[in-house]
PDB file of all heavy atoms in Angstrom:
ATOM      1  N   GLY B  44     -91.933  13.996   5.138  1.00 92.00           N
ATOM      2  CA  GLY B  44     -91.024  13.373   4.229  1.00 92.00           C
ATOM      3  C   GLY B  44     -89.939  14.269   3.732  1.00 92.00           C
ATOM      4  O   GLY B  44     -89.529  14.324   2.559  1.00 92.00           O
ATOM      5  N   TYR B  45     -89.377  15.035   4.677  1.00 94.00           N
ATOM      6  CA  TYR B  45     -88.273  15.947   4.295  1.00 94.00           C
ATOM      7  C   TYR B  45     -86.963  15.144   3.928  1.00 94.00           C
ATOM      8  O   TYR B  45     -86.675  14.144   4.547  1.00 94.00           O
ATOM      9  CB  TYR B  45     -87.928  16.867   5.480  1.00 94.00           C
ATOM     10  CG  TYR B  45     -86.695  17.626   5.196  1.00 94.00           C
ATOM     11  CD1 TYR B  45     -86.697  18.749   4.442  1.00 94.00           C
ATOM     12  CD2 TYR B  45     -85.436  17.261   5.784  1.00 94.00           C
ATOM     13  CE1 TYR B  45     -85.558  19.437   4.152  1.00 94.00           C
ATOM     14  CE2 TYR B  45     -84.295  17.943   5.567  1.00 94.00           C
ATOM     15  CZ  TYR B  45     -84.291  19.061   4.731  1.00 94.00           C
ATOM     16  OH  TYR B  45     -83.148  19.711   4.531  1.00 94.00           O
ATOM     17  N   TYR B  46     -86.361  15.583   2.880  1.00 94.00           N
ATOM     18  CA  TYR B  46     -85.063  15.017   2.520  1.00 94.00           C
ATOM     19  C   TYR B  46     -84.150  16.166   2.143  1.00 94.00           C
ATOM     20  O   TYR B  46     -84.513  17.025   1.343  1.00 94.00           O
ATOM     21  CB  TYR B  46     -85.268  14.084   1.359  1.00 94.00           C
ATOM     22  CG  TYR B  46     -84.069  13.200   1.082  1.00 94.00           C
ATOM     23  CD1 TYR B  46     -83.932  11.924   1.667  1.00 94.00           C
ATOM     24  CD2 TYR B  46     -82.967  13.621   0.327  1.00 94.00           C
ATOM     25  CE1 TYR B  46     -82.844  11.112   1.513  1.00 94.00           C
ATOM     26  CE2 TYR B  46     -81.831  12.871   0.133  1.00 94.00           C
ATOM     27  CZ  TYR B  46     -81.778  11.570   0.674  1.00 94.00           C
ATOM     28  OH  TYR B  46     -80.656  10.830   0.508  1.00 94.00           O
ATOM     29  N   PRO B  47     -82.987  16.239   2.699  1.00 94.00           N
ATOM     30  CA  PRO B  47     -82.142  17.387   2.477  1.00 94.00           C
ATOM     31  C   PRO B  47     -81.745  17.568   1.027  1.00 94.00           C
ATOM     32  O   PRO B  47     -81.424  16.588   0.321  1.00 94.00           O
ATOM     33  CB  PRO B  47     -80.878  17.089   3.356  1.00 94.00           C
ATOM     34  CG  PRO B  47     -80.917  15.600   3.615  1.00 94.00           C
ATOM     35  CD  PRO B  47     -82.357  15.275   3.604  1.00 94.00           C
ATOM     36  N   ASN B  48     -81.765  18.732   0.565  1.00 94.00           N
ATOM     37  CA  ASN B  48     -81.328  18.996  -0.875  1.00 94.00           C
ATOM     38  C   ASN B  48     -79.861  19.375  -0.815  1.00 94.00           C
ATOM     39  O   ASN B  48     -79.441  20.403  -0.358  1.00 94.00           O
ATOM     40  CB  ASN B  48     -82.162  20.246  -1.327  1.00 94.00           C
ATOM     41  CG  ASN B  48     -81.855  20.595  -2.744  1.00 94.00           C
ATOM     42  OD1 ASN B  48     -80.758  20.377  -3.146  1.00 94.00           O
ATOM     43  ND2 ASN B  48     -82.836  21.089  -3.483  1.00 94.00           N
ATOM     44  N   SER B  49     -79.142  18.459  -1.394  1.00 93.00           N
ATOM     45  CA  SER B  49     -77.671  18.621  -1.321  1.00 93.00           C
ATOM     46  C   SER B  49     -77.170  19.743  -2.178  1.00 93.00           C
ATOM     47  O   SER B  49     -76.066  20.219  -1.976  1.00 93.00           O
ATOM     48  CB  SER B  49     -76.991  17.332  -1.722  1.00 93.00           C
ATOM     49  OG  SER B  49     -77.311  16.929  -3.030  1.00 93.00           O
ATOM     50  N   VAL B  50     -77.934  20.197  -3.117  1.00 94.00           N
ATOM     51  CA  VAL B  50     -77.485  21.278  -3.986  1.00 94.00           C
ATOM     52  C   VAL B  50     -77.356  22.573  -3.147  1.00 94.00           C
ATOM     53  O   VAL B  50     -76.322  23.253  -3.220  1.00 94.00           O
ATOM     54  CB  VAL B  50     -78.454  21.507  -5.139  1.00 94.00           C
ATOM     55  CG1 VAL B  50     -78.082  22.729  -5.930  1.00 94.00           C
ATOM     56  CG2 VAL B  50     -78.462  20.324  -6.072  1.00 94.00           C
ATOM     57  N   GLY B  51     -78.366  22.866  -2.323  1.00 94.00           N
ATOM     58  CA  GLY B  51     -78.296  24.004  -1.501  1.00 94.00           C
ATOM     59  C   GLY B  51     -77.103  23.943  -0.542  1.00 94.00           C
ATOM     60  O   GLY B  51     -76.329  24.870  -0.464  1.00 94.00           O
ATOM     61  N   LYS B  52     -76.965  22.750   0.047  1.00 94.00           N
ATOM     62  CA  LYS B  52     -75.890  22.627   0.929  1.00 94.00           C
ATOM     63  C   LYS B  52     -74.550  22.782   0.310  1.00 94.00           C
ATOM     64  O   LYS B  52     -73.629  23.523   0.799  1.00 94.00           O
ATOM     65  CB  LYS B  52     -76.019  21.225   1.553  1.00 94.00           C
ATOM     66  CG  LYS B  52     -74.909  20.896   2.555  1.00 94.00           C
ATOM     67  CD  LYS B  52     -75.291  19.593   3.323  1.00 94.00           C
ATOM     68  CE  LYS B  52     -74.330  19.277   4.384  1.00 94.00           C
ATOM     69  NZ  LYS B  52     -74.863  18.380   5.381  1.00 94.00           N
ATOM     70  N   THR B  53     -74.386  22.105  -0.856  1.00 94.00           N
ATOM     71  CA  THR B  53     -73.097  22.249  -1.526  1.00 94.00           C
ATOM     72  C   THR B  53     -72.770  23.660  -1.929  1.00 94.00           C
ATOM     73  O   THR B  53     -71.665  24.128  -1.777  1.00 94.00           O
ATOM     74  CB  THR B  53     -73.176  21.354  -2.860  1.00 94.00           C
ATOM     75  OG1 THR B  53     -73.466  20.036  -2.453  1.00 94.00           O
ATOM     76  CG2 THR B  53     -71.821  21.375  -3.555  1.00 94.00           C
ATOM     77  N   LEU B  54     -73.772  24.322  -2.408  1.00 93.00           N
ATOM     78  CA  LEU B  54     -73.549  25.694  -2.903  1.00 93.00           C
ATOM     79  C   LEU B  54     -73.033  26.560  -1.715  1.00 93.00           C
ATOM     80  O   LEU B  54     -72.137  27.321  -1.828  1.00 93.00           O
ATOM     81  CB  LEU B  54     -74.860  26.256  -3.444  1.00 93.00           C
ATOM     82  CG  LEU B  54     -74.714  27.636  -3.978  1.00 93.00           C
ATOM     83  CD1 LEU B  54     -73.612  27.713  -5.110  1.00 93.00           C
ATOM     84  CD2 LEU B  54     -76.042  28.104  -4.576  1.00 93.00           C
TER      85      LEU B  54
END
Side-chain angles (χ1 to χ4, degrees):
Chain B
Y45 170 80
Y46 194 93
N48 182 328
S49 60
V50 173
K52 181 168 184 161
T53 303
L54 184 57

